[in-house]
């Protein structure tokens, strides 16, 4: 099923963060969302994940119960006392609720997910002892546990090592082979050009949407920058 966004406007205190956005995202599509800081990228993912529920316009073809969401790492409390196994098993909350323990089969699924992201043996580690790359691997394992049709990733490769980036890209490609819909926010235009077949360039409004090659042109990027400077003097491309 494709996701159809029509004339979406999302505001904070009456200031629109996403403005008159219309887009269709097909099942099985790997879409990169790129745009300047403050362009509304995380806001859009929060709406698709069902976390933000107040907006104008309509969104069809997506059910928050069928979405796996990996939020921006800065939003995570890394000092929360929880082990890797506990973290990734929260991906099963729809199955187990908040009170139930894990069955042997579920523990085995957790172990398989950890193995798939290169973290076997890490199940009892506290998350505050993990490196940035290891934490990101754990969050990908949690998405594997959720096993949903639509996968939302918000800057999944910020501040991680090259090996983790390569390994987790393989995990995404597996999802792609299974016809999952992957919507990924990132700053890394080179990564997008090398990996993501389609892109949306967002600057509150949608500047362009289509094949990555046709979207990431100098003209479009300049235009996005101009539009964003018009709404915020300080916004700029993040080069991290
Ligand atoms: P991006 O992810 O593209 O950097 P965001 O979606 O996080 O952008 O933010 C878009 C705009 O909305 C920014 O101007 C940001 O300051 C503002 N914003 C984001 N979250 C909130 C919030 N909870 N309350 C008020 N303003 C917000
Ligand atoms: Mg963001």
């Amino acid at each position: 099923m494709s996701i159809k966004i029509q004339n979406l406007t999302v505001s904070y205190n009456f200031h629109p963060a996403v403005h008159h956005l219309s887009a269709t995202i097909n099942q099985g599509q790997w879409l990169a969302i790129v745009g300047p800081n403050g362009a509304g990228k995380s806001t859009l993912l929060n709406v698709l994940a069902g976390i933000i529920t107040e907006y104008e316009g309509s969104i069809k073809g997506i059910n928050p119960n069928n979405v796996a969401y990996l939020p921006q790492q800065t939003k995570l409390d890394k000092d929360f006392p929880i082990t890797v196994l506990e973290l990734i098993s929260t991906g099963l909350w729809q199955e187990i609720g908040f009170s139930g323990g894990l069955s042997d089969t579920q523990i085995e699924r957790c172990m398989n997910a950890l193995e798939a992201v290169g973290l076997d043996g890490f199940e009892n580690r506290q998350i505050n002892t993990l490196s940035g790359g290891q934490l990101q691997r754990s969050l990908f394992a949690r998405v594997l546990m959720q096993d949903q049709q639509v996968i939302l990733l918000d800057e999944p490769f910020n501040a991680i090592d090259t090996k983790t980036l390569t390994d987790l890209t393989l995990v995404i490609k597996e999802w792609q082979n299974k016809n999952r819909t992957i919507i990924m926010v990132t700053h890394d235009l080179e990564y997008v050009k090398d990996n993501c077949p389609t892109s949306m360039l967002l600057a509150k409004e949608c500047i362009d949407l289509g094949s990555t090659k046709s979207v990431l042109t100098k003209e479009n990027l300049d235009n996005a920058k101009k539009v964003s400077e018009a709404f915020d003097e300080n916004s700029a491309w993040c080069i991290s």
Side-chain angles (χ1 to χ4, degrees), residues 12-13 17 36-44 72 75 154-155:
Y12 299 104
N13 309 319
N37 284 329
K41 304 181 297 293
S42 295
T43 300
L44 176 58
Q72 239 175 301
K75 305 260 158 71
D154 199 346
E155 306 205 10

Side-chain angles (χ1 to χ4, degrees), residues 44-78:
L44 176 58
L45 285 205
N46 277 310
V47 172
L48 294 175
I51 292 165
I52 294 178
T53 52
E54 282 191 25
Y55 53 81
E56 292 165 51
S58 80
I59 301 174
K60 297 206 174 94
I62 188 164
N63 173 347
N65 292 329
N66 299 120
V67 169
Y69 175 41
L70 189 152
Q72 239 175 301
Q73 247 202 45
T74 48
K75 305 260 158 71
L76 222 132
D77 180 5
K78 295 180 195 86

Side-chain angles (χ1 to χ4, degrees), residues 36-167:
N37 284 329
K41 304 181 297 293
S42 295
T43 300
L44 176 58
L45 285 205
N46 277 310
V47 172
L48 294 175
I51 292 165
I52 294 178
T53 52
E54 282 191 25
Y55 53 81
E56 292 165 51
S58 80
I59 301 174
K60 297 206 174 94
I62 188 164
N63 173 347
N65 292 329
N66 299 120
V67 169
Y69 175 41
L70 189 152
Q72 239 175 301
Q73 247 202 45
T74 48
K75 305 260 158 71
L76 222 132
D77 180 5
K78 295 180 195 86
D79 289 324
F80 195 73
I82 185 173
T83 65
V84 169
L85 180 63
E86 285 162 343
L87 173 74
I88 72 164
S89 64
T90 60
L92 291 171
W93 74 268
Q94 282 180 341
E95 282 177 37
I96 58 179
F98 289 107
S99 54
L102 295 173
S103 69
D104 288 349
T105 325
Q106 286 166 333
I107 290 180
E108 196 181 325
R109 273 166 64 196
C110 290
M111 295 306 170
N112 290 341
L114 284 179
E115 196 182 337
V117 298
L119 279 188
D120 23 348
F122 279 71
E123 56 272 17
N124 294 322
R125 282 276 290 272
Q126 290 287 324
I127 60 165
N128 67 4
T129 67
L130 299 178
S131 70
Q134 287 163 346
L135 181 60
Q136 205 59 342
R137 286 171 190 263
S138 310
L139 292 171
F140 267 69
R142 185 174 181 277
V143 173
L144 280 169
M145 298 307 298
Q146 287 175 285
D147 194 25
Q148 296 293 1
Q149 175 54 41
V150 177
I151 297 164
L152 308 174
L153 307 170
D154 199 346
E155 306 205 10
F157 300 135
N158 256 13
I160 60 168
D161 55 288
T162 323
K163 175 82 169 71
T164 302
L165 185 135
T166 310
D167 289 354

